[in-house]
Amino acid sequence: MSLESASKKGSKFLNPIPTDAGGFGKLIPILREYYTNTAETTPKRSLGPFKTNPSIYKKKPASGLRITWIGHSSLLIEIDGKSILTDPVWSERASFLSFMGPKRFFEPPLKLDELPPLDAILLSHDHYDHLDKNTIKYFSGSIIQFYCSLGVGRYLEEWGINGNYITEVDWGDSVMIGDNIILTATPARHFSGRGIINRNETLWSSFVIKGPKHNIFFGADSGWFPGFKEIGDTFGPFDLTMLEIGAYGKYWPDIHMGPDHASNAHIALKGKLMMPIHWGTFNLAPHAWNEPIERLEQYAKEKKIKLFIPEPGKPTDVKGALNSEWWRVKP
């Protein structure tokens, strides 16, 4: 079974199903909600500091699958002998401005120059909290292979990445990472754009990462849509699903899932373990900063889902259910 390529209307990519991205028409009520909001959207207490011991990477994970959560959607994935970095954001803010915009709740636990040798960098779409100019520029001149959604490659080349090391993928495309990892781009329900005038001119994707021993799903950003079941039927079951649970709001229900729909997506994908991502790092929505994870814990109990929640920066073998409860630890 093959997935359909992404469709376009003129220069604009389209979602798998009709989608309201919560644009300018909802700007006034969104601003009003932010102005009157009383939720603790940014932690009152400092989080961390978290610190990765990079010497751990000198030894391959015993399980064959190890995850280091840098924060948000940035993960170092070690799978079946290969190291893959997803949506790397090391900057202090997820913004086009260095002095304004959503600021990190905690420093990246691992310095860029402490990363182990990488086999691939995976980029789901062009939003600032997923595609970070300063982080990408750090890799300029490297020979690391970049895999990104259609249209995103132009940013990479502009920031110093050699075009020979950039592979753009459409939904349904499969490529090899090394000689044993199959990477497949799959649909997502979201949008793109780094400015006011270029919305949806680059593609957004989720990814299946399949090795000889492990099969995992990186969901990136997506609202709920029936395609999760198709992905699960075609590529599942998955040893681990990495799904966004944060940045949801009543004025944009189509483009972010929140913990309820994310847990439903995990089930539709035929996942064995669910790792929540896209939470606890930036203030991007009116909900309390820790609300997504606490709601997910409850949904997981109700739906009998096994969660995998490592501490930020701690390289953790994927062996079974794990809940570090790091967000509850007080300094």
Side-chain angles (χ1 to χ4, degrees):
M1 187 178 189
S2 61
L3 301 174
E4 290 188 6
S5 300
S7 298
K8 295 180 79 172
K9 184 176 182 180
S11 64
K12 308 290 187 180
F13 284 99
L14 300 174
N15 268 298
I17 61 175
T19 297
D20 180 355
F24 290 113
K26 294 182 178 179
L27 184 60
I28 298 302
I30 288 173
L31 290 175
R32 186 183 298 118
E33 181 180 30
Y34 272 93
Y35 183 75
T36 59
N37 189 27
T38 59
E40 187 182 334
T41 54
T42 298
K44 293 179 180 177
R45 61 181 175 84
S46 61
L47 303 181
F50 304 102
K51 179 63 179 172
T52 304
N53 178 3
S55 66
I56 291 174
Y57 301 122
K58 295 177 181 178
K59 189 175 182 180
K60 296 294 184 183
S63 67
L65 180 61
R66 183 166 61 196
I67 304 289
T68 308
W69 187 49
I70 306 301
H72 204 55
S73 298
S74 303
L75 305 113
L76 175 60
I77 301 170
E78 297 170 90
I79 176 171
D80 297 347
K82 297 292 187 289
S83 295
I84 302 168
L85 188 63
T86 67
D87 289 356
V89 176
W90 258 255
S91 290
E92 184 179 40
R93 297 182 186 273
S95 171
F96 62 95
L97 298 171
S98 62
F99 58 89
M100 186 180 297
K103 186 178 180 181
R104 299 185 72 97
F105 298 160
F106 56 87
E107 291 293 315
L110 179 69
K111 295 179 182 178
L112 284 167
D113 61 9
E114 294 176 327
L115 284 164
L118 298 173
D119 296 287
I121 295 177
L122 189 58
L123 301 165
S124 63
H125 64 298
D126 68 9
H127 284 158
Y128 288 92
D129 57 324
H130 295 259
L131 180 63
D132 178 30
K133 179 180 179 179
N134 289 333
T135 303
I136 298 301
K137 289 180 78 171
Y138 170 84
F139 294 103
S140 65
S142 73
I143 58 171
I144 301 167
Q145 188 70 42
F146 284 74
Y147 299 91
C148 61
S149 301
L150 292 176
V152 177
R154 70 179 180 88
Y155 293 110
L156 307 184
E157 290 199 69
E158 182 182 328
W159 300 336
I161 305 303
N162 189 311
N164 293 329
Y165 299 108
I166 300 170
T167 301
E168 292 190 348
V169 287
D170 191 0
W171 297 342
D173 286 350
S174 292
V175 295
M176 296 296 297
I177 298 177
D179 58 358
N180 66 343
I181 303 292
I182 303 172
L183 176 72
T184 303
T186 45
R189 189 186 186 195
H190 198 53
F191 70 108
S192 68
R194 293 174 71 83
I196 297 173
I197 61 172
N198 64 347
R199 192 174 244 208
N200 295 345
E201 292 182 1
T202 64
L203 187 59
W204 49 96
S205 305
S206 57
F207 294 92
V208 173
I209 306 170
K210 182 174 178 56
K213 287 182 59 181
H214 294 94
N215 188 31
I216 62 178
F217 180 78
F218 175 63
D221 280 9
S222 180
W224 165 263
F225 73 115
F228 284 114
K229 184 179 186 304
E230 183 180 358
I231 295 169
D233 289 343
T234 306
F235 299 101
F238 293 101
D239 300 296
L240 181 72
T241 67
M242 295 159 280
L243 296 167
E244 55 125 277
I245 65 166
Y248 52 88
K250 64 182 178 181
Y251 293 112
W252 57 90
D254 290 356
I255 55 172
H256 285 296
M257 289 189 285
D260 188 8
H261 285 310
S263 55
N264 292 337
H266 169 79
I267 294 169
L269 288 163
K270 300 180 180 177
K272 299 174 184 177
L273 288 171
M274 175 183 173
M275 179 180 177
I277 60 173
H278 204 270
W279 72 281
T281 313
F282 296 106
N283 172 10
L284 300 172
H287 57 68
W289 73 274
N290 57 350
E291 180 185 286
I293 193 66
E294 296 191 344
R295 285 191 173 181
L296 179 64
E297 286 183 307
Q298 186 58 45
Y299 288 126
K301 289 180 182 177
E302 295 171 2
K303 302 174 187 180
K304 296 181 172 53
I305 292 172
K306 294 180 179 179
L307 298 178
F308 179 77
I309 314 173
E311 178 183 310
K314 185 174 182 178
T316 306
D317 277 60
V318 180
K319 298 177 180 178
L322 170 75
N323 187 349
S324 66
E325 298 189 348
W326 67 266
W327 65 95
R328 295 196 176 106
V329 177
K330 296 183 179 180

